[in-house]
Amino acid sequence: AQTVTQSQPEMSVQEAETVTLSCTYDTSESNYYLFWYKQPPSRQMILVIRQEAYKQQNATENRFSVNFQKAAKSFSLKISDSQLGDTAMYFCAFMKPQGGNSGGSNYKLTFGKGTLLTVNP
Amino acid sequence: KAGVTQTPRYLIKTRGQQVTLSCSPISGHRSVSWYQQTPGQGLQFLFEYFSETQRNKGNFPGRFSGRQFSNSRSEMNVSTLELGDSALYLCASSFVGRGKAFFGQGTRLTVV
C-alpha cells in the first residue's frame, strides 16, 4: 500500500516571500501521479499542480512549482511570491494508475495529513 | 462548464438514522470517487465508480454504500449512523485518461 507523509503540520510565510512544503511517499510502483491540493477555509479542494512520475521535468503552474525527486520519493511544493489568498491547508496526494477494461486510471487518491500554510501580511 | 456539485451542503442526523448524499460530476466525467475527511483520520478513500460500476473500495464498513447512475451522478448512503460518521464527505470527478480529479465543495454531516 502506498503512504504519503507530510512532516510539517504548520508553516507560515510573509506575503511576497517564497515557501516550500515537503512531501515524501512510499511506493513500489514505477508509474504514478503526484498532486498538490489546496483546501482553503471554504473547504473546497482545489488542484494546484500535478506531476507524472515518468516525466523528469518538474511541473510548474504560475507561482507554484514542484521539486520531484523520484529516487528519493520526494515531492515538494514551492510557492513563490506568496499571497494572502494562498492561506490554506495543502495536501500532497498519490495516485497509482490502474488499467484494465475501464478505459483508464482508477481514481483512488492517497493523501498526506496536510500542512496548514498561513501567509502573513 | 459547471464544477462538481454536491448536495446537500450541510446535514444533521441522529444516531441510528440513514443518510444519502448526492454528487453530480463535471459534464463528460464518468468517474466519481468519494472521500471522508475528519480531523483525526484525515482524508480517506471510500469508493470509486465508473460507468455505474464500483471499481475500488476503501476500508469502510458495509454501512457505507454507493451507486452511480447512467448520467454519471452518484449517491452515497450511510446506514445506521454513528457519532464517528460525522465528517466532511467529498466527491471528486475525473475524465478517464486525464489523470486529474476535481472535487466538489463537500457535504458536512453531523451526527448527534
Side-chain angles (χ1 to χ4, degrees):
Chain A
Q2 289 75 30
T3 58
V4 178
T5 303
Q6 294 179 248
S7 59
Q8 307 149 314
E10 293 186 42
M11 292 191 72
S12 63
V13 64
Q14 292 299 120
E15 198 175 4
E17 293 188 347
T18 296
V19 64
T20 298
L21 309 183
S22 301
C23 172
T24 58
Y25 59 95
D26 187 27
T27 184
S28 58
E29 303 292 329
S30 58
N31 186 30
Y32 48 86
Y33 295 106
L34 293 165
F35 306 85
W36 279 97
Y37 280 90
K38 163 186 175 180
Q39 189 177 42
S42 68
R43 310 302 283 178
Q44 172 93 48
M45 193 76 79
I46 300 165
L47 176 62
V48 175
I49 200 164
R50 180 189 74 155
Q51 176 77 42
E52 296 166 85
Y54 67 87
K55 290 187 177 179
Q56 293 187 340
Q57 186 173 5
N58 289 324
T60 300
E61 289 285 345
N62 301 312
R63 298 183 294 108
F64 300 88
S65 61
V66 299
N67 183 3
F68 173 49
Q69 302 289 328
K70 190 172 184 179
K73 296 179 183 174
S74 169
F75 183 61
S76 61
L77 174 70
K78 185 172 85 171
I79 306 174
S80 304
D81 186 25
S82 296
Q83 300 175 0
L84 297 178
D86 295 333
T87 292
M89 184 72 83
Y90 286 80
F91 292 95
C92 178
F94 173 101
M95 184 180 76
K96 178 185 78 170
Q98 297 172 34
N101 60 3
S102 59
S105 302
N106 290 356
Y107 289 91
K108 175 184 176 181
L109 289 161
T110 301
F111 287 90
K113 293 292 188 184
T115 296
L116 178 60
L117 175 68
T118 302
V119 180
N120 299 307
Chain B
K1 189 180 266 190
V4 180
T5 303
Q6 290 188 246
T7 56
R9 291 288 309 280
Y10 302 92
L11 210 48
I12 300 175
K13 289 287 188 179
T14 304
R15 260 188 312 175
Q17 287 186 315
Q18 74 165 18
V19 67
T20 299
L21 311 181
S22 178
C23 173
S24 293
I26 293 170
S27 178
H29 287 195
R30 293 166 62 192
S31 169
V32 175
S33 51
W34 290 88
Y35 296 82
Q36 181 195 65
Q37 185 176 23
T38 59
Q41 297 299 316
L43 282 148
Q44 293 185 282
F45 172 79
L46 280 156
F47 28 65
E48 187 234 355
Y49 287 87
F50 175 80
S51 289
E52 303 178 64
T53 300
Q54 187 183 89
R55 297 198 297 188
N56 257 315
K57 190 177 192 308
N59 189 25
F60 279 83
R63 300 184 297 107
F64 291 81
S65 63
R67 60 178 174 170
Q68 186 180 36
F69 302 95
S70 58
N71 61 358
S72 295
R73 188 177 71 87
S74 177
E75 290 182 346
M76 68 162 280
N77 184 277
V78 188
S79 62
T80 319
L81 283 165
E82 301 177 359
L83 295 178
D85 297 333
S86 295
L88 180 68
Y89 290 88
L90 292 164
C91 163
S93 81
S94 306
F95 189 91
V96 172
R98 297 283 174 86
K100 290 184 181 182
F102 297 91
F103 283 81
Q105 291 187 291
T107 294
R108 169 74 68 186
L109 171 64
T110 302
V111 182
V112 298

